[in-house]
Amino acid sequence: MSPADADAHAAPDYAVFGQPVAHSLSPAIHAAFGRQQSIPLRYTAIDVDPDAFATKLARFADGGGRGANVTLPLKEAAAALCASLGENAQRAGTVNTLVRRVDGWHGENTDGRGLVRDLDHRAGLDLRARRTLLIGAGGAARGVAPALLDAGIADLYVVNRTGARADALADALGEPGRVHPRYLEDIAHLGEFDLVINATSAARTSAALPTLPRSLLAPRAAVVDLNYGEAAVPFLAWARSVGAHDIVDGLGMLVEQAAESFALWHGVRPDTDPVYAELRARAALLVTAD
Ligand code: NAP
């Protein structure tokens, strides 16, 4: 076997675990970061049934796996498999980044930092004092909510189809005077917002979000969808139709959260702009799969 063949057949050092994960852009993003930083790495996508996740992750570690990303529907399960959790993972209750340490997996959540970095550095939004509506209370909402609070937003309203999950997220955030869980059906009665974020996967399912009223948007409001590509089309079309001042999809967040993971593994934060630009050029063709 040639050295190149041996390299190709070696176990991956890094991987993204999820289901489905075939459309994940993470392997391409991390390969690009590695080339840019002259850091050789093998990063693959591993489709895994939730029941088999613990076993496959242990096998990956035994084979020399040094780090992993975790996506739908495994982010909470990943937190439970960690020997230690970083502050963001603790606050989110979910893990999207695993770092191999001598005592086992260390879990962190980079989604929130990734989103805030994209909104302030790339989109140029000052998040401070924005009255914020977060639609959704799943893993992504849990990941981004603490970072939004840290970034200085004003009150945070969390609405979710399943009200109990909005309640649970608000409880976990532990700021009852500032964080307000509400039912999705009450969304028209919550006043106007400076920042509206779609953190649902509704566009990836057969059931759409209900039509949202124009009255949700304050003048100069920003509308953000954590989805990108096809899955961001309905929500961002609504944002345009109601005259949102700023409209941002989830592509920048995807690249920025990956850069945060890369920094945890390799100790250096890559330059995200060229990777973002390359993906943006074909954004319409992309399938959301963080
Ligand atoms: P998740 O844990 O499965 O949560 C899904 C959320 O969407 C829940 O709040 C769920 O409400 C809601 N939802 C699903 N279908 C709905 C519908 N028809 N009507 C109303 N609400 C609906 O998923 P997640 O991890 O939070 O991810 C959410 C989305 O964000 C995904 O599309 C994901 O790809 C994307 N994301 C993007 C990035 C990025 O880097 N850009 C990172 C993370 C996630 P219930 O609780 O009532 O079921």
Side-chain angles (χ1 to χ4, degrees):
M1 193 183 278
S2 74
D5 284 344
D7 196 44
H9 286 91
D13 310 314
Y14 301 92
V16 54
F17 289 85
Q19 190 173 64
V21 81
H23 291 292
S24 175
L25 295 170
S26 294
I29 293 172
H30 283 278
F33 287 162
R35 282 193 300 276
Q36 179 195 96
Q37 298 296 324
S38 302
I39 295 174
L41 58 89
R42 288 180 302 272
Y43 187 118
T44 59
I46 300 178
D47 194 285
V48 58
D49 189 86
D51 292 341
F53 178 45
T55 310
K56 282 213 176 173
L57 186 64
R59 204 174 297 152
F60 173 70
D62 291 345
R66 295 186 217 164
N69 287 124
V70 181
T71 185
L72 270 172
L74 306 170
K75 289 183 178 180
E76 285 179 35
L81 294 172
C82 287
S84 60
L85 292 176
E87 190 196 335
N88 294 322
Q90 276 179 37
R91 289 172 76 195
T94 61
V95 157
N96 79 336
T97 306
L98 293 165
V99 183
R100 192 70 192 164
R101 291 187 176 168
V102 280
D103 60 342
W105 290 109
H106 175 76
E108 215 3 319
N109 193 312
T110 65
D111 280 341
R113 286 178 65 123
L115 174 66
V116 168
R117 175 101 181 186
D118 183 56
L119 295 184
D120 62 13
H121 280 59
R122 184 168 289 114
L125 299 179
D126 185 349
L127 299 180
R128 288 173 298 176
R130 285 185 186 247
R131 191 170 186 265
T132 297
L133 176 64
L134 181 62
I135 308 171
R142 283 184 161 267
V144 302
L148 291 167
L149 292 169
D150 290 351
I153 61 165
D155 281 11
L156 175 65
Y157 283 74
V158 182
V159 300
N160 195 47
R161 180 178 61 180
T162 307
R165 285 182 98 186
D167 291 339
L169 172 50
D171 285 350
L173 291 168
E175 294 194 49
R178 196 172 167 210
V179 180
H180 315 282
R182 294 288 187 272
Y183 290 106
L184 187 55
E185 57 259 35
D186 295 333
I187 202 166
H189 310 295
L190 303 180
E192 57 180 33
F193 293 92
D194 308 296
L195 178 61
V196 175
I197 300 175
N198 176 28
T200 77
S201 55
R204 298 172 66 181
T205 71
S206 52
L209 277 179
T211 305
L212 304 179
R214 180 184 295 259
S215 59
L216 278 181
L217 294 196
R220 303 183 65 79
V223 172
V224 177
D225 195 340
L226 302 193
N227 296 281
Y228 51 84
E230 273 289 301
V233 168
F235 195 71
L236 298 186
W238 169 79
R240 271 188 289 280
S241 74
V242 294
H245 187 267
D246 299 282
I247 299 178
V248 181
D249 72 6
L251 194 61
M253 171 185 169
L254 177 78
V255 178
E256 298 301 334
Q257 60 82 26
E260 297 289 333
S261 299
F262 191 92
L264 287 172
W265 297 327
H266 307 292
V268 55
R269 198 179 198 285
D271 178 5
T272 52
D273 285 346
V275 178
Y276 172 79
E278 199 273 316
L279 291 176
R280 175 57 68 197
R282 52 191 180 98
L285 304 174
L286 301 176
V287 177
T288 298
D290 52 293

